[in-house]
Amino acid sequence: MHGNRNGRACPNRALFLLLSLALVLVPYAKGRCQSTGSDTAHGESRLQMDQAVMCEEVRDLAPVNVSVVFSVDIGKVSCFTLFDPVPQKTVVYHTWFHRDQESTRKRLALRPPRWSTVSSIQLRETDKGPWRVVISDDTGHIFGIMRFSVTD
Amino acid sequence: MLAFLSTVRWQDIADIALTSYILFRFYVLFRGTTVFRVITGIALLGFFQRVAVSLGLIVTSWVMQGFTAVAALIIIIVFRNEIRNVLQARNLHAIFWGTGLKRQTAPVESIVQAIYDLSRQRIGALLVIPGVEDLEDVVQRGIPWQGLATREAIKTVFWPDNPVHDGAAVLQGSRIAEVGVILPLSHRENLPSAYGTRHRAALGLTEVTDSMVVVVSEESGRVSLVKNGRIDPIADNVELSRRVREHLGIVVGPTRRQKREKVKLVAAAVCSVLLITGVWFSFTRGLDTLITLEVPVEYVKRDPKMEILDTSVNTVSLQLRGSESLIRSLKPEQVKVRLNLSGAAMGENTFTLTSENIVLPPGVFLDKVKPPAVHVTLDVPVARSIPVQVDWAGRLDPELRIEFVSVEPDRVRVEGGSGVLEALSTLYTRKVPLAKIVESGSMTVELALPPASVEVAPDEPEEVTVTYTVKKRQK
């Protein structure tokens, strides 16, 4: 009888353990598959952009005078981006467009677990007008587009 | 001379020959009719109008030009019956080839014998021998007869006991077409008293038509022949026979009249050739007149799925060459530039303009085309939602900054060619001045829409609301 009970209990326990293991491992396995996919930004634990602003300068890793209009007299404008989390070492791009014409493309490295980065351009008289900065990864995924103007 | 002849193409010779023959046929068909006289008059009017223009007679040339312009209409309306008769009365051979010299079909001898029988018996008679012109609108229709015009038949028609003997009999070829026909009376007042109603009726008809009427007086038995409003007493049957033959154009041998007619025809043919050659020379030679025309380009046979988004030019400049008269009479609608887009593909297509694309009136030649090629951009129309960005301008107070801006709606649906919309990533607003902005607020701004081939979709706004947050600028 005991032997019989033990004989029934052992397979039940083994099945319970297998199911528990499966419940733990399946999400992990799913996450591994997505993280190796082409679009790393879509998953919840993937690279995410936490903040993106246009500013006059960056002091102590924080943007100063966030704005959408910059006088050409200030001489420089920066695009500040903060990524959190950063699961692994990677790169992002800040592509600057002046009136739909690409002006420059900056490659910026990111390091886990959290990273802020900035790109800047020097302003000239000919730079007046509407601008945008497209923030993207190396697969072409766009995290955001920052729009601003350079004026008198 | 040889150098000149070498420039003459076979088409030029065919051109002159064909037109000359048409003119000659026109003369053969319509000679002696009122239509011919009126057209000759109008041609003279046209000639004098050109003379008046060259002499600088403004009003005269203007009036003559007006007359000439409506002349064709007048001829067709007023002389429609004559034209119809000329064309209907002849078969195709007679219209295109015949000389108009008739063969003997009318029984002239029977007519003459019958007339003199009636004359001897003092029986009045009125016999109408039509010319080219139609009698339908002039006479009052009688009784259809359609009997052969024999000596006895003619005498029977005018026999006093015959109910229709008082009217006129109308001949048609070898038959009596109608009897008892009432002719229009002449209103002439100076008619001798010897002439009665028959003579007045014969005069009346010949005053308005080219018919000939043979009259036999009931009182005197005298035979008269009336033509062109003139009464000629006839001495004997020989003279009557000759006059009738002349009127009918009957040729029984190489008579003097036949020879004269042949000479006239040859002269008319020569005149036609000379006239048309002269006109041809004035139209096509002396190619020293140049003109430059701006002609719109017509795009034809476009694939209905595609739209013309852009063209490098809407008009082309054509330098044309021709004789002065042709160039002066050239109207802009006679010159066309057509581009066949049936083989065009999506995107930019380049077409080199050749003479195949250009329609010119005969005698006008193309020298140059500017530009020699036309670029046409075709695309498939699509719609896309495009983000809107504010185009700030001017100078913001240096103490201030615009920290945040939102645009409502932030995207607008636009329509245009797929290629153009593919390259269009942002719609900008019109310039928004910064000078007056001192605090947060909002405003309505119109969209600026380059390029021209892009349009806001019908149900989309052409204005956006811009809301902005203004803050103090840190030092």
Side-chain angles (χ1 to χ4, degrees), chain B residues 175-196:
Chain B
R175 290 181 179 273
I176 302 168
E178 281 183 284
V179 296
V181 177
I182 308 297
L183 307 183
L185 294 177
S186 169
H187 297 290
R188 202 184 291 177
E189 291 180 354
N190 57 351
L191 205 61
S193 57
Y195 295 135

Side-chain angles (χ1 to χ4, degrees), chain A residues 56 65-66 73 99 131, chain B residues 389 391 395 401 473-474:
Chain A
E56 290 183 8
N65 283 333
V66 171
D73 294 342
R99 279 200 180 278
W131 284 76
Chain B
Q389 180 172 349
D391 189 1
R395 191 175 183 85
R401 62 188 169 95
R473 190 162 164 259
Q474 293 176 31

Side-chain angles (χ1 to χ4, degrees), chain A residues 19-20 35 38 42 56 60 79-80 104 114 118 126 134 144 147:
Chain A
L19 282 171
S20 301
S35 68
S38 60
H42 284 185
E56 290 183 8
D60 301 328
C79 177
F80 174 87
T104 182
R114 189 171 185 268
V118 65
T126 54
V134 177
R147 298 177 186 277

